Amino acid sequence: MNVTDASTLRQPVVDEVQGRLVSDPYRWLEDDTAAECAQWLATQDQMLAKHSSAWRTRPAFRALLGELMDCGGAAAPVVRGRRRFLLRRRAGQELPVLVTVTGGEGGKVEDVVLDPMGLDPSGRTALLAWRASWSGRLVAFQVAAGGAEAPVLRVLDVADGRVVDGPLALGRQTAVAWLPDDTGFYYVTGSVAEPRRVRLHRIGDDPAHDPVVFETAMRHLSVSLGPEGRWLLVSAAPGAQTGNVLRLADLEADVTGGRGLGTPDLVTIHDGTSDGSSALVKTGPRGLLYAITNAGAPRGRVCLLDPAQPRSAAWTTVVEPGPDVLLSACTALSDAGSGEMRLLVSTVSNGVPSLALHEVTGRLLTDIPTPGTGPGTISGLTTPPGDADRVWFRYTDFLTPPAVYRFELPQERCMPETSHLPQTTPVRPRPPAPRQEPPVVRRRTYLSEDGTPVGLHLITPPGPVHGPRSALLTAYGGFGASVAPAYSPTVTAWVRAGGIYAVAGVRGGGEHGTTWHAAGSGPNKPNAFADFAAAAFHLIDEGLTTPAQLAVKGSSHSGLMVAVAITRNPELYAAAVCSDTLTDMVRYPLFGQGAWWTNEFGTPDDAGLLGTLLSYSPYHNVRPGTPYPAVLLTSTRIDPRVGAAHVRKFTAALQHATTSGKPVLLRTEDGVGHGSSAPSRYADLHSDALAFCAEHTGLTLPGGRKNRGRGEP
């Protein structure tokens, strides 16, 4: 018995799939409720406790993460009526609180609208979404307990805090599109096993009788309605980044024509299901209709719509970024002085964000200086309804915690938001910290196995990069999403300890638009894993690290990158942390929301794609007798999105197969779901992850005193 052997039972389960025999010896670990599974998990807990007690750096990492996360923060405000709504987490708070701020530009009056800890002092009930009515009088909010993916929606009266409507049971989190008079809203119902439906709910009515406005078998469905209450938009898509079908209804014409709000005449104005293109239509000041789309433009373009001819063939392109620039957002403004409308366009190039002001015809007026000077992220652009001349947004980068900024059209500049209470308020006074030189962010480009250039961000300790030293590598590489240049306490803690943190922009992500995503999805998914392996080789070949000092870390799709990496090239890595991810690519559609992801990975029901899935499926590529690196797998006890069975089965397979003598451990947490969690739980999890990586890469003490590179004193 080796150090990771939990005496796990292997059963002779073999399926015939598309003429192939596929072994599944740990099928029994799929049953979350079985006594055998619970007993196995208890054994895993004992093994973890035995090993984690020897992780020498964990207390220091836990203290550092607690400090880095104890600064609080706020989201960009959303203006509704006379109120500004925002989510704020003050230092020491476990969960963000929804508040309103009133009092004009110098306003400092803050009122709590909803505190999730007031609903559940255990901190296991999360506020998943909220939407204020256009007057600001009501808020529809969605909460879920214990990590559930199906929230409950209620409506709150902001003035007195009373719940005035609900509960509405939802299959999953929904968009809420308020009617302009606060009498009701459109919303979406349905789950993985049900059709998705847009319904109209009137405040006080029984939701069981809410009329169905639109129904589809497509997995993704959303609805929106502007403040004027005229243009109803319904977007449906078979999957993430698969192209959508966009439908538009003129509610004013429908009501005049006697149809009513519950039976709108929805007309298809964009269909991207054949070419994978997506479109989003927004309303602006004075009846403006404009679209953000990647149809015919993989990096995006901004178009104007004529309400008389709203179909996409008649759209007029007004802004299209250059070949190395990706469109990320656009919002319309109104110049109070001239009455002219303007477009504030947000773009990104190689991770560096930009803002530019355009006439509504598309003519560039001026570039707007942004808060940062290098790789960073501008997100969450919000504009007051109507004739607004300001935009709020959040800015962050690898070194800077998120902060709210405001763009003022009259001055044509951005400034830190100071019209509400300070964003950070320490719970307890602390002695001044000694000044530390900040880490250094560098961008590099390396070549993948097929010669494709791939971007890589390196976050290193201050000063010249001396190596080799302990390094952590990550990437996302799926669903057209990216690991954006954003502040992370985990990154900061690792680099402060003397390590290198590397983020690879591999194919399958959204770093370079839809073509980059397509190059790493479906039958091309192996390209993403090849890019990730090439990043590891690059770090080693450049002398920044060695296989004995390199760890990989990821969760969700990023966790799949890690799981494939250690089964594809186990010799490259000293350690791996793999969280909340898919590992059985043959049975993944049967767990959680996996059936919704066949557009990203392909389906095992397709004989042609089954071979691709099996070529990288981590669970099926574990080879007995292989010296695998040290592996820490983490998962919730029940993961309603991915399915915790993936991590359990992969853990058992690795423990049976490895001959390296290094541990393969499972960390399981109860009462939480997939993704983010309260700061204390985040700090507990990631201090375990960092300490595990430090233990197996030679990073022995935060501060890096025993992790000096060659040539350092």
Side-chain angles (χ1 to χ4, degrees):
M1 181 183 295
N2 62 43
V3 296
T4 58
D5 191 350
S7 300
T8 302
L9 174 65
R10 290 173 60 86
Q11 295 181 339
V13 176
V14 179
D15 294 329
E16 183 174 345
V17 184
Q18 303 292 336
R20 295 172 180 258
L21 297 180
V22 180
S23 177
D24 189 2
Y26 300 109
R27 176 80 56 84
W28 61 275
L29 284 174
E30 294 179 359
D31 189 349
D32 293 315
T33 63
E36 295 84 0
C37 182
Q39 182 180 2
W40 182 83
L41 287 170
T43 302
Q44 298 299 318
D45 289 343
Q46 294 169 7
M47 293 171 57
L48 177 66
K50 173 185 174 182
H51 285 271
S52 62
S53 63
W55 297 343
R56 293 161 289 177
T57 59
R58 190 194 184 282
F61 275 124
R62 181 61 179 83
L64 182 54
L65 285 173
E67 173 191 332
L68 293 170
M69 298 186 69
D70 201 23
C71 62
V78 174
V79 177
R80 294 291 183 264
R82 296 183 178 180
R83 295 182 171 101
R84 276 172 287 160
F85 293 82
L86 64 145
L87 281 176
R88 180 197 302 290
R89 186 181 69 82
R90 296 194 178 281
Q93 286 182 323
E94 281 287 85
L95 296 172
V97 176
L98 179 62
V99 302
T100 60
V101 180
T102 55
E105 287 307 305
K108 301 295 183 183
V109 179
E110 179 179 289
D111 294 307
V112 174
V113 178
L114 187 65
D115 182 355
M117 296 297 288
L119 301 176
D120 178 5
S122 74
R124 297 190 179 189
T125 295
L127 175 61
L128 297 186
W130 61 273
R131 177 71 64 178
S133 65
W134 293 110
S135 72
R137 187 175 64 86
L138 302 174
V139 170
F141 67 95
Q142 301 169 57
V143 294
E149 293 278 325
V152 172
L153 185 151
R154 293 181 173 87
V155 178
L156 194 74
D157 187 300
V158 176
D160 59 19
R162 291 182 302 112
V163 173
V164 296
D165 197 25
L168 281 70
L170 308 172
R172 63 178 304 190
Q173 185 176 319
T174 177
V176 171
W178 279 98
L179 300 176
D181 60 1
D182 291 4
T183 59
F185 51 82
Y186 296 95
Y187 70 110
V188 178
T189 62
S191 63
V192 175
E194 303 170 337
R196 304 279 281 155
R197 299 180 176 95
V198 174
R199 298 178 182 269
L200 173 62
H201 178 72
R202 297 286 189 171
I203 302 300
D205 284 358
D206 182 350
H209 302 303
D210 288 346
V212 175
V213 172
F214 177 77
E215 180 175 324
T216 181
M218 291 189 180
R219 313 294 191 183
H220 295 263
L221 185 62
S222 65
V223 60
S224 64
L225 181 64
E228 76 294 327
R230 180 178 180 182
W231 300 108
L232 179 70
L233 287 148
V234 174
S235 174
Q241 300 294 324
T242 57
N244 69 333
V245 179
L246 191 61
R247 294 173 173 87
L248 177 72
D250 184 346
L251 296 186
E252 285 186 4
D254 286 344
V255 172
T256 302
R259 294 183 64 93
L261 299 179
T263 56
D265 182 18
L266 288 162
V267 176
T268 299
I269 61 172
H270 166 80
D271 187 346
T273 53
S274 61
D275 63 3
S277 64
S278 298
L280 168 69
V281 169
K282 303 174 68 175
T283 59
R286 306 174 193 179
L288 178 69
L289 281 176
Y290 62 105
I292 302 170
T293 182
N294 53 31
R299 295 173 178 269
R301 59 189 172 109
V302 180
C303 304
L304 297 186
L305 278 69
D306 179 353
Q309 295 180 316
R311 288 178 171 82
S312 58
W315 294 358
T316 301
T317 300
V318 293
V319 178
E320 185 168 358
D324 297 322
V325 182
L326 186 69
L327 176 68
S328 53
C330 175
T331 192
L333 300 167
S334 178
D335 189 320
S338 66
E340 297 290 333
M341 286 186 288
R342 300 286 185 256
L343 298 175
L344 183 67
V345 178
S346 174
T347 58
V348 63
S349 177
N350 293 322
V352 179
S354 299
L355 290 172
L357 191 65
H358 295 254
E359 290 184 346
V360 76
T361 60
R363 186 174 74 89
L364 176 65
L365 294 173
T366 184
D367 292 316
I368 306 299
T370 55
T373 58
T377 299
I378 289 174
S379 63
L381 277 67
T382 65
T383 308
D387 289 353
D389 61 359
R390 65 193 57 190
V391 178
W392 284 274
F393 62 88
R394 289 221 303 178
Y395 173 81
T396 184
D397 57 43
F398 287 119
L399 309 180
T400 308
V404 177
Y405 286 79
R406 185 177 75 251
F407 169 75
E408 294 281 359
L409 181 58
Q411 291 79 31
E412 295 185 350
R413 67 187 182 95
C414 302
M415 58 198 75
E417 175 57 65
T418 59
S419 63
H420 47 66
L421 294 178
Q423 296 185 34
T424 60
T425 304
V427 177
R428 50 191 177 278
R430 293 195 183 102
R435 176 173 173 78
Q436 293 182 324
E437 290 295 319
V440 177
V441 179
R442 297 174 172 88
R443 179 175 171 81
R444 294 191 175 190
T445 300
Y446 65 93
L447 298 181
S448 189
E449 293 178 359
D450 61 0
T452 299
V454 182
L456 180 73
H457 283 114
L458 294 177
I459 305 94
T460 66
V465 182
H466 294 287
R469 65 170 69 216
S470 300
L472 257 177
L473 171 64
T474 192
Y476 195 76
F479 296 97
S482 310
V483 182
Y487 179 76
S488 165
T490 301
V491 175
T492 301
W494 180 260
V495 176
R496 278 197 192 179
I500 293 172
Y501 207 100
V503 182
V506 305
R507 281 173 284 185
E511 287 81 358
H512 305 291
T514 57
T515 54
W516 193 252
H517 170 233
S521 62
N524 298 321
K525 180 61 72 174
N527 287 336
F529 310 126
D531 292 354
F532 193 64
F537 279 114
H538 175 79
L539 294 174
I540 294 167
D541 292 344
E542 291 294 307
L544 297 171
T545 192
T546 66
Q549 295 171 295
L550 178 58
V552 282
K553 179 176 180 289
S555 63
S556 196
H557 192 281
S558 181
L560 176 61
M561 301 294 298
V562 169
V564 173
I566 61 176
T567 52
R568 188 181 191 270
N569 300 100
E571 74 285 354
L572 285 182
Y573 312 105
V577 177
C578 181
S579 303
D580 303 323
T581 191
L582 304 168
T583 66
D584 183 341
M585 300 309 297
V586 175
R587 291 174 60 80
Y588 83 89
L590 305 178
F591 304 121
Q593 296 176 1
W596 290 14
W597 306 330
T598 54
N599 292 94
E600 177 67 22
F601 301 109
T603 170
D605 296 332
D606 183 324
L609 287 173
L610 176 63
T612 301
L613 291 168
L614 283 170
S615 73
Y616 66 80
S617 178
Y619 176 59
H620 299 98
N621 281 280
V622 175
R623 306 300 180 207
T626 301
Y628 288 102
V631 184
L632 174 64
L633 299 110
T634 78
S635 174
T636 58
R637 176 67 174 80
I638 297 175
D639 185 341
R641 187 178 306 176
V642 170
H646 285 283
V647 170
R648 292 195 293 265
K649 292 168 64 175
F650 190 48
T651 299
L654 285 172
Q655 289 177 346
H656 170 77
T658 188
T659 59
S660 66
K662 298 178 180 179
V664 175
L665 304 170
L666 175 62
R667 184 189 191 275
T668 303
E669 192 168 4
D670 285 319
V672 293
H674 187 91
S676 59
S677 59
S680 61
R681 288 176 177 267
Y682 176 98
D684 288 342
L685 170 62
H686 289 277
S687 57
D688 280 352
L690 293 182
F692 179 83
C693 291
E695 191 73 20
H696 294 283
T697 63
L699 187 63
T700 59
L701 190 67
R705 285 180 285 170
K706 294 187 180 180
N707 191 52
R708 299 186 180 99
R710 288 195 299 264
E712 293 184 79

